[in-house]
């Protein structure tokens, strides 16, 4: 099927042409770009030329063939990166990949381009499943898939070989119903947010809340929060006392919070968990929930609030620092402790 260029808000996705070889060779020769990919560097211009010439000879994606779309800036036509596509099962299944120049990282281009490609695959080609595979040490790539609606499906061990070196793979997949649910998710800020106690009646609603898989390094899954509440850690000679609440936005469960209460042994409240479900992130809910937590702590008579966060790609550190938490200089269980003044 001939491929018609796709235009998004900032990008143009077009079929790769012979003139794209130099940009492709330069991009693939960057050690940062190639770090988790299936090629070695330097990437010769001759190899890049052969690849784009082969793609240019195709009208569009073909079954059992790798195809490539070049991603350009819609305003300047500068080449930013590329999308790779491999159709199998008579065009019913699609594997995708994405590569962007490092100078264009962190601007959301990969998510914007991949989302457009996924829509094309489901709406124009009628595929039933799209998937991507990545190295476990590449959270930035996982975040691209997650922000495009993909679901974590599995972790294969010692499954990918390159030049005699083996690594694991993570698998993310997306079916059409998955994609439709992601496409139709709410994106506007909710009108009303409230805390509700976690009870026998609503425990399953709260338990079903999930972050993206890559965020579990920084926000424990709900089962671990329930376990921590049932068997609280002993700190300074006494167990922490949990205060748990589900978060409802416009009559829908969207998050969960848990505090360690002020006690004789624990003079400051501690923000133990703050989780916003993957379908409700980027709606401004986290900030509003934190405002409500601060109000609750003030009602308890607290003058400060403690929390902690892990460091690394995807860490909630910027969120807490922007809100006003200040690192105390202490590292607790490999996490940075922060304190917020409430007066």
């Amino acid at each position: 099927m001939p491929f018609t260029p796709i235009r998004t808000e900032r990008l143009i996705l077009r079929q790769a042409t012979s003139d794209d070889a130099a940009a492709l060779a330069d991009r693939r020769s960057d050690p940062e770009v190639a770090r988790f990919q299936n090629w070695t560097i330097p990437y010769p211009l001759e190899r890049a030329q052969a690849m784009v010439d082969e793609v240019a000879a195709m009208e569009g994606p073909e079954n059992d063939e790798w195809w490539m779309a070049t991603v350009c800036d819609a305003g300047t036509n500068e080449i930013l990166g590329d999308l790779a596509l491999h159709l199998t099962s008579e065009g019913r299944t699609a594997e995708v990949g994405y590569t962007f120049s490092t100078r264009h990282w962190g601007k959301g281009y990969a998510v914007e381009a991949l989302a457009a490609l996924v829509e094309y695959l489901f709406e124009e080609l009628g595929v039933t499943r799209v998937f991507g595979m990545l190295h476990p040490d590449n959270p930035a790539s996982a975040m691209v898939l997650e922000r495009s609606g993909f679901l974590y499906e599995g972790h294969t061990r010692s499954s990918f070989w390159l030049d005699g070196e083996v690594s694991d793979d993570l698998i993310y997949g997306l079916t059409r119903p998955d994609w439709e649910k992601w496409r139709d998710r709410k994106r506007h800020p909710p009108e009303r947010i409230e805390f509700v106690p976690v009870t026998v009646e609503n425990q399953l609603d709260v338990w079903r809340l999930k972050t993206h898989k890559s965020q579990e390094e920084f926000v424990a899954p709900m089962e671990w929060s329930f376990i921590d509440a049932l068997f609280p850690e002993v700190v300074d000679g006494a167990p922490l006392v949990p205060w748990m609440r589900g978060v409802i936005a416009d009559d829908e469960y969207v998050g969960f919070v848990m505090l360690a209460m002020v006690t004789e042994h624990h003079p400051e409240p501690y923000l133990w968990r703050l989780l916003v479900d993957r379908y409700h992130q980027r709606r401004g809910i986290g900030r509003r929930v934190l405002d409500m937590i601060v109000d609750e702590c003030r009602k308890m008579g607290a003058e400060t609030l403690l929390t902690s966060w892990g460091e690394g790609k995807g860490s909630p550190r910027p969120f807490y620092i922007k809100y006003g938490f200040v690192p105390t200089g202490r590292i607790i269980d490999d996490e940075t402790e922060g304190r917020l003044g409430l007066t």
Side-chain angles (χ1 to χ4, degrees):
M1 178 178 179
F3 180 77
T4 302
I6 300 172
R7 189 182 185 103
T8 69
E9 181 179 355
R10 299 179 296 169
L11 308 173
I12 294 176
L13 283 60
R14 59 168 175 78
Q15 179 155 316
T17 70
S18 296
D19 294 335
D20 298 339
L24 177 64
D26 179 68
R27 188 164 60 250
R28 290 198 168 195
S29 293
D30 186 327
E32 285 299 302
V33 172
R35 183 180 177 194
F36 297 114
Q37 300 287 2
N38 64 345
W39 64 78
T40 56
I41 57 173
Y43 197 88
L45 177 60
E46 296 77 14
R47 185 178 176 186
Q49 191 69 61
M51 176 181 291
V52 294
D53 286 347
E54 182 178 349
V55 173
M58 304 165 64
E59 288 189 335
E62 297 179 7
N63 187 60
D64 285 332
E65 298 288 345
W66 277 100
W67 178 83
M68 178 185 294
T70 296
V71 182
C72 302
D73 184 291
T76 66
N77 210 36
E78 177 187 4
I79 294 177
L80 309 178
D82 62 76
L83 297 171
L85 171 63
H86 187 216
L87 295 176
T88 56
S89 302
E90 301 302 322
R92 292 187 287 265
T93 301
E95 181 178 0
V96 294
Y98 33 86
T99 306
F100 283 75
S101 299
T102 52
R103 63 182 177 276
H104 300 304
W105 287 4
K107 301 176 183 178
Y109 290 142
V111 174
E112 186 173 334
L114 181 59
L117 179 64
V118 166
E119 181 176 5
Y120 163 78
L121 291 171
F122 284 122
E123 296 282 54
E124 299 297 327
L125 297 192
V127 303
T128 60
R129 167 178 159 78
V130 185
F131 72 97
M133 303 181 71
L134 56 102
H135 194 286
D137 294 335
N138 193 0
S141 183
M143 291 165 67
V144 170
L145 291 170
E146 291 168 346
R147 291 176 182 175
S148 303
F150 286 71
L151 293 166
Y152 171 77
E153 292 184 338
H155 182 151
T156 64
R157 297 176 296 165
S158 298
S159 54
F160 181 80
W161 287 89
L162 179 64
D163 284 354
E165 297 291 332
V166 69
S167 70
D168 295 359
D169 255 342
L170 300 185
I171 305 172
Y172 280 79
L174 186 67
T175 65
R176 185 180 181 101
D178 295 332
W179 172 68
E180 290 175 345
K181 183 178 179 181
W182 182 257
R183 179 197 62 189
D184 298 338
R185 73 193 187 282
K186 295 178 180 177
R187 306 189 191 198
H188 58 275
E191 294 183 6
R192 184 180 69 261
I193 296 179
E194 60 183 310
F195 287 158
V196 294
V198 179
T199 66
V200 171
E201 287 74 21
N202 68 5
Q203 60 176 317
L204 288 179
D205 294 309
V206 177
W207 180 80
R208 292 189 184 103
L209 297 167
K210 293 183 182 297
T211 64
H212 293 298
K213 179 64 178 180
S214 67
Q215 295 171 330
E216 291 181 2
E217 179 181 355
F218 307 107
V219 181
M222 282 307 310
E223 52 263 37
W224 283 106
S225 293
F226 282 1
I227 290 171
D228 285 343
L230 183 60
F231 304 104
E233 181 182 0
V234 175
V235 176
D236 295 332
L240 300 175
V241 178
W243 180 92
M244 298 190 299
R245 293 294 186 271
V247 180
I248 292 181
D250 296 339
D251 302 318
E252 185 175 3
Y253 283 89
V254 301
F256 170 78
V257 298
M258 185 163 71
L259 293 173
M261 298 281 285
V262 173
T263 69
E264 176 184 356
H265 296 274
H266 312 118
E268 294 178 278
Y270 172 74
L271 178 54
W272 205 343
R273 295 284 192 276
L274 197 171
L275 181 153
V276 177
D277 185 81
R278 63 187 292 267
Y279 285 100
H280 298 281
Q281 295 179 11
R282 299 177 176 268
R283 296 178 61 196
I285 291 174
R287 171 81 189 206
R288 290 172 63 180
V289 167
L290 194 46
D291 288 343
M292 295 166 64
I293 291 170
V294 167
D295 288 342
E296 291 291 338
C297 290
R298 285 173 175 154
K299 292 176 184 177
M300 299 174 191
E303 297 183 352
T304 57
L305 172 63
L306 289 174
T307 194
S308 61
W309 56 80
E311 303 288 355
K313 181 69 175 179
S315 167
R317 176 189 179 95
F319 169 74
Y320 288 118
I321 294 296
K322 184 177 181 180
Y323 194 88
F325 282 86
V326 177
T328 65
R330 296 205 309 164
I331 303 297
I332 310 296
D333 295 332
D334 296 324
E335 292 191 346
T336 301
E337 183 185 67
R339 177 181 282 115
L340 177 70
L342 303 182
T343 57

